Amino acid sequence: MEDTICAISTAPGIGAISIVRVSGPQAIEIVSKIFKGKDLSKVETHTINYGFIYDREEKIDEVLVSVMLAPKTYTMEDIIEINSHGGINTTNKILELLLENGCRLAEPGEFTKKAFLNGRIDLIEAESVNDLINAKNDAARTLALNNLSGNLTKNIKSIRSKIVEIMANIEVNIDYPEYEDIEIVTMDTLLPKLKAVKKDIDAILKSSRNGRLIKEGINIAIVGKPNVGKSSILNALLDEEKAIVTNIAGTTRDIVEGSISLNGFLINFIDTAGIRETEDIVEKIGVEKSKKAIQNADLVIIVLNNNEELTVYDQKLIKEVPIEKRLIFVNKSDLDSKINISEDYILGNTIDSNGLNTLKDSIIKKLELDNVLNKDMTYMSNVRQIDLLKKSLNAINQAILNLESGIPVDMVEIDITNSWNILGEITGETYQDELITTLFSKFCLGK
């Protein structure tokens, strides 16, 4: 924490501006050795100062130097950002001079790590910084920004407060049994409080599905027998010739993927090989991949032919995909209808420009995407956080089970305390050094 670190904070390559960031107790002293302009030790905080970077007597670049003094900075340390002309050679030269004059090259995510360790942000907010950088759509950006603002943290801390109040009541009963004016903790008084905590955790876990859909996108598999038009549907949805289309059955031997933005969500469409019995070894592999894609998809679009009667394979496929996970799309609405199906289905084609609009609307409705995007957008989307929240819930469930089984309150407190500690790992109020090192190693170098 005593080191002064530096790194290039802008993407590598040629551009109008490049930024080299410096943070630490010697930031001003080190940058002053290579900067000629105003005396940086005397300028006001949060100012931009014009000058030049020098390597001894050689002028390297004309720059603007931003000076931000602790504690009102990203890392809560003195920060200097050197805004130079973009270019690999110039930027690397400035970084090289900083290293020669006492800086250490920052590790990936070390600026944000300092912000966490210095107490400016918690672990949820730190991970949200990385999510914001890697956001692939508007919804993911909004979600990351919302969690960066501390809304999810407030929810977790609220649950921890309820648990610590329960723990305090138990401790008072154990340590001061002689007091008559304190609430006596019994199964009848403790059980409703634990169930209220369970309900709060359940609500966050339930909404975490929305967070995952926003952050990672929605996987939709397009399945059906050969030659029903799966590849044509994929191409039409993506508005590009992604998959090869022929009138030969079994043309698609492997899964073909493509993504679009729908209602602010990243939708990953997966065009699968036609599912049928085949002796072709390559096609068999493709069929097995199709079956795995069905299992892993958030939604499955079963494609049927409008001008053909329903086959045994069609009926088998419909039965294999749960109703809550499937949409039935009857393709080739421009041809004479011969299909005999009693289930609800969507009719369309890939010939007309608006032939798939009803399908898109049905996807939005089926996944309830309109309800996912709201003003609150406080969803947990991080795998680490969700895993810890499930463990915390398991501990509360165990406490409820033990309490209902007649185990003494002071023994039940062990599970309650365990749940409280696990929630602390989510926000970083309790953590292991190894976890912090691993977590921030996934960040980019200049962040």
Side-chain angles (χ1 to χ4, degrees), residues 176-189:
Y176 306 101
E178 68 276 12
Y179 288 149
E180 296 180 357
D181 59 343
I182 61 172
E183 179 187 2
I184 303 299
V185 178
T186 64
M187 185 188 79
D188 291 337
T189 60

Side-chain angles (χ1 to χ4, degrees), residues 24-92:
Q26 293 180 291
I28 293 174
E29 178 187 341
I30 292 172
V31 175
S32 294
K33 292 178 182 179
I34 64 172
F35 175 72
K36 290 187 178 180
K38 291 184 179 179
D39 184 346
L40 298 181
S41 65
K42 296 180 180 179
V43 301
E44 293 185 13
T45 185
H46 293 77
T47 58
I48 299 175
N49 305 274
Y50 170 79
F52 295 87
I53 296 295
Y54 274 81
D55 179 9
R56 297 176 180 85
E57 299 303 318
E58 180 188 357
K59 186 184 289 185
I60 301 301
D61 194 19
E62 182 182 26
V63 297
L64 293 174
V65 173
S66 301
V67 176
M68 293 162 279
L69 303 180
K72 294 183 177 181
T73 68
Y74 183 65
T75 60
M76 296 189 75
E77 301 175 332
D78 289 347
I79 287 182
I80 291 185
E81 292 184 350
I82 301 172
N83 295 257
S84 67
H85 291 94
I88 297 171
N89 182 271
T90 301
T91 308
N92 284 341

Side-chain angles (χ1 to χ4, degrees), residues 99-165:
L99 295 173
E100 287 178 1
N101 283 276
C103 280
R104 171 175 64 78
L105 185 64
E107 298 172 358
E110 192 168 3
F111 292 97
T112 305
K113 182 180 179 180
K114 278 177 173 276
F116 165 70
L117 293 175
N118 284 328
R120 184 184 178 276
I121 57 176
D122 62 36
L123 215 49
I124 291 177
E125 292 165 339
E127 289 174 302
S128 297
V129 170
N130 203 35
D131 290 341
L132 187 60
I133 292 170
N134 294 302
K136 297 177 181 178
N137 53 63
D138 288 343
R141 174 184 54 77
T142 303
L143 174 62
L145 195 59
N146 200 45
N147 288 343
L148 181 58
S149 301
N151 292 341
L152 183 57
T153 296
K154 290 175 185 175
N155 291 347
I156 299 297
K157 286 188 173 181
S158 174
I159 297 173
R160 286 194 94 214
S161 296
K162 291 179 181 179
I163 295 176
V164 82
E165 185 179 334

Side-chain angles (χ1 to χ4, degrees), residues 252-255 272-275 280-291:
T252 303
R253 299 296 187 94
D254 202 352
I255 59 175
T272 62
I275 297 176
D280 187 298
I281 296 175
V282 177
E283 192 176 354
K284 268 186 176 180
I285 295 172
V287 170
E288 287 303 312
K289 283 189 175 184
S290 298
K291 292 177 179 178

